[in-house]
Amino acid sequence: MSKRPNVQAKTQKLPFYKSKKFLWITGVVVALVVTILLAFRFSPWPGALVVRYVFNKGGHQTLVAMEQALPNYPVTVLRDRQYRANDADAKLDVYVPDSALKQHKSLPIVIWTHGGAWLSGDKADDGPYFERLANEGFVVVAVNYTLAPGKTYPTAVKQLNDAHQYVIDNAANFAGNSQKIILAGDSAGAQLSAQMAALATTPGYAKEVGVSPALKPGQLAGVILFCGIYKMEGLAHPDPTLPKIVGWGNDVALWSYTGSRTKNMPLLKQMSPYYHVTANFPSTFISGGNGDALTDAQSKPFAGKLQSLGVDVTTLFFTKAHQPSLPHEYQFTFNRDGNTAFDQTVQFLLAKSQ
């Protein structure tokens, strides 16, 4: 009987891309991608965090540039004053010229609301600018509010109303004149400041929003608006010639701030100062850069609307050919044009706070 040959079996090794480990890794990656895509689709948070990161990074760069460009001024900063009980976000900073504290002066108050698409930014981002402004003879109050999508409209409006009440109640403690208040803001902060001024001067509008304004019309000496949004549907239906990333960012901002991905036009109209201003709106300084799409789409139409109502309006706009092209938030860049904007802002404040 013959014996079967002793042949050692050879195991063929599979390529890695056919292995169980590769298939497992691929499955995990696909699951993560799907999860991320679904998260972006069904929640504003992922997109909001992306926008917030980009905006905060730009804000930090602007802050560093201002710190390098501007000297230290003889200004005392009262930081993190709680303006609303049991609300960790409800804090404000007060910038007071040292001379006013020593001489017990009573200075006009500029209440500045920061920008950041309602979902980013901080009251301290433009601190050097506020110090420079205070050094010109004003008390400057920089206000924080809860960022979206953590809280949605009208939370920020109600917080700002409480901040205004705090400033009125405590003005004498930081050399401020509560009868000479100027509301100011940039970008989303300009929208909020314009809305607060409209609420203070249009009783029916305040009732519609459900706010009892802390500020009375006689206390409002003026409004300063840089690079703002005044017709919210302009974000819901942006210029199709703009880059798609701009439209995506607008969608994220509105979804975060309103709490709904559906573009609720009645709500957007309620949020839009353009539709609620009257002849009683305070004297206004309004500006935007020639390289900022919001200037033609938002700032100039709002200025025109106010002028048509007989409101005293001071504008600072630049021709299309102006060089360098001035971007969104150009006023915080202290080149020639940034300094021009600052000087004209001070002139407006001096004229309207007499």
Side-chain angles (χ1 to χ4, degrees), residues 213-335:
L215 287 171
K216 302 299 181 281
Q219 294 172 296
L220 267 176
V223 178
I224 296 171
L225 306 171
F226 279 103
C227 309
I229 303 97
Y230 313 103
K231 296 172 73 173
M232 297 291 284
E233 73 269 25
L235 298 185
H237 303 288
D239 185 340
T241 64
L242 294 174
K244 291 188 180 299
I245 190 67
V246 174
W248 175 80
N250 290 344
D251 284 342
V252 169
L254 287 180
W255 187 8
S256 298
Y257 190 43
T258 64
S260 173
R261 195 163 196 178
T262 303
K263 295 179 173 65
N264 183 334
M265 298 311 294
L267 181 63
L268 294 181
K269 187 173 182 179
Q270 183 190 95
M271 297 161 68
S272 302
Y274 183 93
Y275 299 109
H276 305 287
V277 293
T278 68
N280 295 324
F281 198 79
S283 295
T284 301
F285 176 90
I286 186 167
S287 182
N290 64 319
D292 182 359
L294 290 177
T295 299
D296 286 342
Q298 298 279 346
S299 297
K300 289 182 179 179
F302 189 53
K305 174 67 176 288
L306 292 174
Q307 289 168 334
S308 73
L309 293 169
V311 176
D312 174 42
V313 179
T314 301
T315 62
L316 176 58
F317 297 125
F318 302 83
T319 65
K320 285 293 184 184
H322 182 86
Q323 291 295 325
S325 180
L326 302 177
H328 189 64
E329 303 280 39
Y330 83 95
Q331 74 280 357
F332 293 134
T333 304
F334 290 103
N335 54 17

Side-chain angles (χ1 to χ4, degrees), residues 129-288:
Y129 181 93
F130 300 145
E131 288 184 22
R132 186 184 186 192
L133 196 57
N135 189 58
E136 295 292 333
F138 307 98
V139 170
V140 180
V141 179
V143 186
N144 264 1
Y145 50 93
T146 301
L147 301 176
K151 294 290 184 180
T152 56
Y153 176 83
T155 298
V157 170
K158 294 184 177 181
Q159 286 174 316
L160 291 173
N161 194 50
D162 287 346
H164 296 171
Q165 187 64 61
Y166 176 91
V167 171
I168 292 168
D169 293 342
N170 293 275
N173 297 329
F174 45 74
N177 182 350
S178 63
Q179 300 306 305
K180 295 290 183 181
I181 293 177
I182 300 92
L183 297 183
D186 56 283
S187 194
Q191 181 273 328
L192 285 165
S193 294
Q195 186 177 14
M196 298 307 295
L199 289 166
T201 54
T202 313
Y205 179 43
K207 184 177 180 180
E208 176 187 337
V209 177
V211 171
S212 178
L215 287 171
K216 302 299 181 281
Q219 294 172 296
L220 267 176
V223 178
I224 296 171
L225 306 171
F226 279 103
C227 309
I229 303 97
Y230 313 103
K231 296 172 73 173
M232 297 291 284
E233 73 269 25
L235 298 185
H237 303 288
D239 185 340
T241 64
L242 294 174
K244 291 188 180 299
I245 190 67
V246 174
W248 175 80
N250 290 344
D251 284 342
V252 169
L254 287 180
W255 187 8
S256 298
Y257 190 43
T258 64
S260 173
R261 195 163 196 178
T262 303
K263 295 179 173 65
N264 183 334
M265 298 311 294
L267 181 63
L268 294 181
K269 187 173 182 179
Q270 183 190 95
M271 297 161 68
S272 302
Y274 183 93
Y275 299 109
H276 305 287
V277 293
T278 68
N280 295 324
F281 198 79
S283 295
T284 301
F285 176 90
I286 186 167
S287 182

Side-chain angles (χ1 to χ4, degrees), residues 39-57:
F40 272 89
R41 181 175 178 82
F42 293 106
S43 170
W45 272 105
L49 292 176
V50 171
V51 174
R52 184 178 296 174
Y53 172 80
V54 173
F55 278 32
N56 285 349
K57 184 177 180 180

Side-chain angles (χ1 to χ4, degrees), residues 73-94:
Y73 295 98
V75 170
T76 295
V77 186
L78 310 175
R79 301 191 187 278
D80 293 328
R81 298 303 166 106
Q82 190 84 28
Y83 66 78
R84 194 185 206 197
N86 303 316
D87 187 340
D89 298 323
K91 294 181 180 180
L92 54 81
D93 295 338
V94 186

